[in-house]
Amino acid sequence: MQILKGTGIDWRERKLVSNLYMAQGVKVRLNRGETRSVKFGRGVRQGCCLSPILFNLFSECHIKEALERFGDFKIGLQIIHTVKHADDLVLLAKEEKVLQETIDKLIEIGGFYGMERNVEKTKVMRISRQPFPLKIMIDQKQIKNVESFEYLGSILTNGGRCACEIKYRIAMAKAAFNKLRALFY
């Protein structure tokens, strides 16, 4: 509710959101009847049209607050902190120390808002001509280093090359053409 207030959302809309999302209960319907009502305190609901908007608003404010003093990664003339899509977040940094500080600050601010990071789903990759592992920690656990990962359908590699991406796209096109072959023969 703090974020909604901070962005200038009127108190009436904040009260509506609060009534929709806070202290709600749920029952599960089974063949033999319904379970008892279970209360849950907060979080967005799957399938609710307001949930993605609230998530994006929360996420943007959370990341902006956490990264306000980190701004040294430039592409062209633009300072880039993050690359985001839905609930995926890519942090960019030139130095390992800056990346660790950025992650620490992101976790600190997230904790303030009741958000936790899943260490098992978090990965780190250095893009360099001589890539060597990074030692980034979350809660005394080292983040797994990867040599490549897929983001928005493209494969990014630690060497910064696109050969894997080209091979992947050629294989996808070949599979599509092979499916069409049955139509003509």
Side-chain angles (χ1 to χ4, degrees):
M1 298 322 279
Q2 304 159 4
I3 290 175
L4 292 176
K5 186 175 183 179
T7 56
I9 304 291
D10 185 62
W11 69 271
R12 289 175 283 259
E13 282 85 18
R14 291 195 316 265
K15 185 169 174 86
L16 175 66
V17 169
S18 177
N19 288 340
L20 285 171
Y21 281 91
M22 303 301 240
Q24 293 291 310
V26 65
K27 291 181 181 181
V28 177
R29 187 173 296 147
L30 304 170
N31 288 339
R32 63 181 189 274
E34 293 179 343
T35 64
R36 64 179 175 79
S37 181
V38 177
K39 300 254 184 237
F40 53 94
R42 58 180 164 179
V44 292
R45 280 195 230 119
Q46 196 97 19
C48 176
C49 61
L50 190 57
S51 292
I53 296 166
L54 292 173
F55 178 82
N56 287 338
L57 180 64
F58 168 80
S59 176
E60 191 63 33
C61 291
H62 167 221
I63 291 166
K64 186 177 180 182
E65 184 177 343
L67 304 179
E68 64 188 347
R69 70 177 185 91
F70 300 102
D72 65 338
F73 198 92
K74 283 188 178 181
I75 297 177
L77 299 175
Q78 295 287 333
I79 294 174
I80 309 278
H81 297 115
T82 62
V83 180
K84 297 174 274 207
H85 181 262
D87 62 347
D88 292 334
L89 173 66
V90 176
L91 296 175
L92 305 171
K94 289 183 180 179
E95 300 170 11
E96 185 173 341
K97 180 182 176 213
V98 173
L99 182 59
Q100 182 67 64
E101 290 172 357
T102 304
I103 290 172
D104 291 344
K105 186 69 174 174
L106 196 61
I107 289 169
E108 176 189 331
I109 298 297
F112 176 75
Y113 291 112
M115 188 172 172
E116 296 176 11
R117 295 276 172 228
N118 186 335
V119 179
E120 285 74 36
K121 286 185 170 182
T122 305
K123 310 285 186 263
V124 66
M125 181 175 77
R126 178 189 304 266
I127 299 175
S128 174
R129 288 190 181 127
Q130 291 100 19
F132 53 92
L134 295 165
K135 189 176 182 190
I136 302 294
M137 308 291 279
I138 296 179
D139 298 330
Q140 287 79 42
K141 296 178 187 167
Q142 185 169 345
I143 303 293
K144 181 181 178 185
N145 280 267
V146 294
E147 294 181 5
S148 67
F149 73 96
E150 188 173 339
Y151 188 74
L152 298 179
S154 294
I155 299 172
L156 306 173
T157 63
N158 61 358
R161 305 277 185 238
C162 58
C164 289
E165 176 69 13
I166 292 168
K167 288 177 186 175
Y168 175 70
R169 300 231 175 210
I170 289 171
M172 286 177 41
K174 185 177 179 181
F177 282 123
N178 283 336
K179 284 182 182 177
L180 292 174
R181 182 178 291 186
L183 295 174
F184 298 108
Y185 297 108

